[in-house]
């Protein structure tokens, strides 16, 4: 190294307020305070490393103690300002809080505070890493910090403000320095490269700035290291090789493979990154950051993604058009959960690969929002169809309802027996079918349709019931009391009378088998609904004819019935004539046997 060589972090350190980058809110406040003569006695600068805390403190000291100060337009090349910048000024004392953290050092400081400055308007104490002071040292500083002499100013800097006593913070004006934006760092690196005669590509500048994570000093140190390695020409590949960063192209490529459901290509990309020795935890974090850009672009197409190269902005824009917001949110949640686990996992590659596979499966699955959208679209189509003709049979009150609606009937109509194979609500069926599109209407196998082998709703129910009854005696009772109500597209409704509601609870265990049989016979997926309605109260199921058994059965001689007297016989007849008993006998097809 030649004599007098300075690293970029020192050579290009800000000298005036105009040189401070990315901290406009702090610079503007300090400028106004100096111009309006509203100077506080203590300032606290808080922020991550390399964001300009020490540089800002020295600039403030130059503005206060420079020639003719306090003023904001000081000359940084003035000898007094140079002494402050180099840490040689008698009236600006820079103290390292890490090595001078004891109560004895603070007591010495408190004793020197009362002495007037040598040649400057103020005596300025700058304590770096002030959070390293002990509790006793903080307490010893409290009184002096609260009421210092008018010629004394305190400036503190720290990266961990939570370790400072609240009583100290309350006595200072706090300024939070932010992480410097990636674009600002990249532009400043390009400026340094131009000044030094170095060829630095745009992609390489962005890669350095992204790796610096908001710290200007870290970025300048990395550029210094790259110059020593590459010479006068620096490309993105050089940055990735030296520091192990992930290229924006590889991250965008993996994101595109996931969105395209290309599992093999995505796993191959993970394999290549792992074999190249990349940090998979960092690679996953970068992938989440890329999907975050896609999400922002999706919800706000006018948003600016200026912190990425132009080719990556184009990739983000195109990818945002291929995925919906709910799926993108689910994808980011899944990757974030993996990111929390992979940091402590021994086999990071396995967790990464599982996350990639799950992400692709998540994009391929039908979500609840998709189902709701499909149902809403189907409802909109039905609403746009023409209303049923007024010449048709009187429709039900709700054409799209698949349940039985109460209607006014005479007593004789309610008492009249009905065939269970006949639809209970023909008016509802006709009204609903008239508003469905042709492909959604149930197929009728009546002769006028001329369709052989296809069932109408009632015929489908009878065919399914017969096949199911033959396989189970219990189903014979349950299905024998059930009635076909309606078929509307894939919705198939059967029902029970109110006084047979106990069948409804018993048939619950067999609904899936019934639904499967209906789907098998109809050739399409059927969704079964079982209801209980007062409209079915007067309808009783017919007895199914039993097949004759060809095996001869020997009938034993009937045993003689016991003799009963007239009084007992009279009681038995009265018992059977009771209305409730007769109704029970009719429902269960039973008879009374008296022993």
């Amino acid at each position: 190294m030649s004599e007098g060589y300075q690293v970029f972090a020192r050579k290009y350190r800000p000298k005036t307020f105009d040189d401070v980058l990315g901290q406009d809110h702090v610079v503007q406040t300090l400028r106004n305070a100096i111009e309006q003569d509203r100077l506080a006695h203590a300032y606290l600068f808080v922020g991550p490393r390399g964001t300009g805390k020490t540089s800002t403190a020295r600039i403030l000291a130059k503005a206060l103690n420079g020639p003719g100060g306090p003023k904001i337009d000081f000359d940084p090349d003035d000898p007094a300002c140079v002494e402050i910048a180099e840490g040689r000024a008698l009236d600006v004392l820079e103290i390292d809080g890490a090595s001078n953290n004891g109560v004895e050092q603070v007591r010495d400081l408190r004793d020197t505070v009362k002495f007037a400055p040598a040649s400057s308007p103020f005596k300025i104490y700058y304590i770096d890493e002030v959070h390293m002071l002990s509790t006793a040292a903080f307490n010893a500083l409290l009184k002096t910090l609260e009421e210092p002499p008018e010629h004394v100013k305190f400036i503190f800097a720290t990266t961990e403000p939570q370790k400072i006593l609240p009583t100290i913070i309350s006595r200072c004006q706090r300024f939070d320095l932010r992480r410097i934006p990636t674009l600002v760092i990249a532009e400043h690196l390009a400026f340094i490269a131009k000044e030094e005669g170095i060829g630095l590509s745009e992609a390489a500048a962005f890669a350095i700035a992204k790796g610096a994570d908001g710290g200007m000093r870290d970025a300048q140190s990395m550029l210094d290291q790259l110059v020593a390695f590459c010479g006068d020409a620096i490309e993105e590949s050089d940055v990735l090789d030296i520091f192990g960063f992930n290229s924006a192209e590889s991250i965008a490529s993996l994101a595109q493979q996931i969105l395209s459901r290309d599992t093999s290509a995505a796993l191959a990309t993970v394999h290549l990154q792992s074999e190249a020795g990349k940090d998979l935890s960092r690679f996953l974090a970068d992938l989440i950051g890329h999907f975050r850009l896609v999400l922002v672009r999706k919800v706000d197409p006018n948003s600016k993604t200026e912190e990425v190269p132009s080719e990556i902005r184009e990739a983000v824009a195109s990818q945002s058009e291929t995925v919906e917001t709910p799926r993108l949110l689910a994808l980011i949640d899944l990757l974030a959960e993996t990111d929390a686990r992979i940091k402590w996992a021994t086999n990071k590659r396995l967790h990464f690969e599982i996350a990639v596979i799950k992400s692709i499966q998540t994009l391929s699955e039908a979500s609840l929002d998709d189902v709701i959208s499909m149902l809403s679209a189907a409802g909109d189509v039905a609403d746009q169809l023409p209303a049923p003709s007024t010449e048709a049979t009187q429709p039900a009150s709700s054409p799209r309802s698949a349940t039985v609606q109460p209607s006014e009937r005479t007593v004789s109509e309610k008492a009249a027996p009905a065939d269970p194979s006949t639809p209970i609500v023909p008016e509802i069926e006709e009204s609903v079918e008239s508003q469905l599109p042709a492909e959604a209407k149930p197929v009728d196998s009546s002769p006028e349709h001329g369709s052989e082998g296809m069932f109408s709703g009632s015929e489908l129910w009878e065919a399914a019931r017969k096949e199911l009854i033959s396989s189970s005696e219990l189903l014979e009772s349950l299905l024998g009391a059930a009635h076909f109500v309606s078929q509307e597209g894939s919705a198939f409704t059967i029902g029970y009378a109110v006084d047979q509601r106990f069948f409804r609870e018993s048939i619950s265990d067999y609904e899936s088998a019934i639904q499967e049989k209906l789907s098998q016979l109809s050739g399409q997926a059927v969704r079964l609904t079982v209801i209980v309605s007062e409209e079915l109260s007067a309808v009783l199921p017919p007895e199914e004819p039993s097949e004759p058994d060809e095996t001869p059965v020997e009938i034993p001689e009937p045993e003689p019935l016991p003799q009963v007297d007239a009084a007992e016989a009279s009681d038995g007849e009265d018992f059977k004539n009771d209305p409730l008993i007769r109704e029970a006998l009719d429902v269960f097809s039973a008879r009374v046997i008296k022993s």
Side-chain angles (χ1 to χ4, degrees), residues 8 197-201 204 208 221-243:
F8 293 155
I198 302 170
L200 179 67
S201 66
I208 299 173
S221 299
M222 285 190 286
L223 180 60
D224 234 334
Q225 186 174 346
L226 285 166
V227 172
F229 176 78
C230 305
D232 296 338
I234 302 175
E235 299 295 334
E236 183 186 22
S237 58
D238 300 322
V239 181
L240 304 181
D241 291 340
I242 293 180
F243 300 108

Side-chain angles (χ1 to χ4, degrees), residues 394 406-419 424 427 534-540:
Q394 181 180 0
S407 61
E408 296 181 0
R409 296 186 181 181
T410 61
V411 176
S412 60
E413 288 176 332
K414 290 186 178 181
D419 185 358
I424 303 303
E427 297 87 352
E534 295 180 355
E535 295 295 320
L536 305 175
S537 298
V539 181
L540 298 178

Side-chain angles (χ1 to χ4, degrees), residues 20-40:
V20 179
L21 300 176
Q23 310 297 345
D24 295 340
H25 61 295
V26 175
V27 171
Q28 186 62 40
T29 304
L30 295 177
R31 281 175 175 271
N32 294 342
I34 295 172
E35 288 181 343
Q36 300 172 13
D37 195 20
R38 300 179 64 87
L39 297 174

Side-chain angles (χ1 to χ4, degrees), residues 281-442:
S281 298
R282 180 62 180 268
F283 192 68
L284 179 59
D286 292 340
L287 181 63
I288 296 174
H290 179 85
F291 279 121
R292 175 253 174 196
L293 294 177
V294 177
L295 176 63
V296 172
R297 174 70 183 222
K298 183 68 178 178
V299 299
D300 184 11
N302 297 323
S303 63
K304 296 182 179 179
T305 54
E306 68 277 356
E307 295 192 1
V308 295
S310 56
E311 59 271 14
I312 301 302
R313 284 198 294 269
E314 296 175 0
V316 168
S318 62
Q319 291 173 6
S320 64
E321 298 174 357
T322 63
V323 62
E324 299 298 328
T325 301
R327 294 186 185 277
L328 196 54
L329 289 171
L331 177 61
I332 294 176
D333 285 340
L334 175 62
L335 294 177
E337 292 176 1
T338 305
D339 184 48
R341 296 194 307 267
I342 200 174
K343 293 179 180 178
W344 312 106
T346 55
N347 192 344
K348 300 181 185 296
R349 176 178 169 182
L350 173 62
H351 286 269
F352 204 137
E353 291 173 338
I354 292 175
V356 168
I357 295 173
K358 285 185 176 181
S359 299
I360 295 176
Q361 291 178 346
T362 299
L363 294 173
S364 303
E365 292 176 352
S367 63
L368 180 60
D369 292 337
D370 296 334
V371 176
I372 294 175
S373 299
M374 294 172 62
L375 293 177
S376 300
D380 295 339
V381 172
D383 292 339
Q384 295 175 3
L385 293 175
S389 175
T390 55
E391 297 178 0
T393 307
Q394 181 180 0
S397 59
S398 179
R400 296 173 65 180
S401 174
T403 59
V404 179
Q405 300 292 339
S407 61
E408 296 181 0
R409 296 186 181 181
T410 61
V411 176
S412 60
E413 288 176 332
K414 290 186 178 181
D419 185 358
S421 64
T422 304
I424 303 303
V425 282
E427 297 87 352
I428 294 179
E429 269 197 321
E430 295 175 4
S431 176
V432 172
E433 291 181 13
S434 65
Q435 300 191 44
L436 289 174
E439 61 272 12
K441 292 185 179 180

Side-chain angles (χ1 to χ4, degrees), residues 253-281:
S253 176
L254 178 58
Q256 182 60 46
Q257 291 163 358
I258 293 176
L259 295 178
S260 301
R261 281 80 162 173
D262 193 347
T263 306
S264 59
L267 294 179
T269 301
V270 176
H271 172 74
L272 291 175
Q273 295 294 322
S274 178
E275 291 299 318
K278 301 293 185 180
D279 184 358
L280 293 183
S281 298

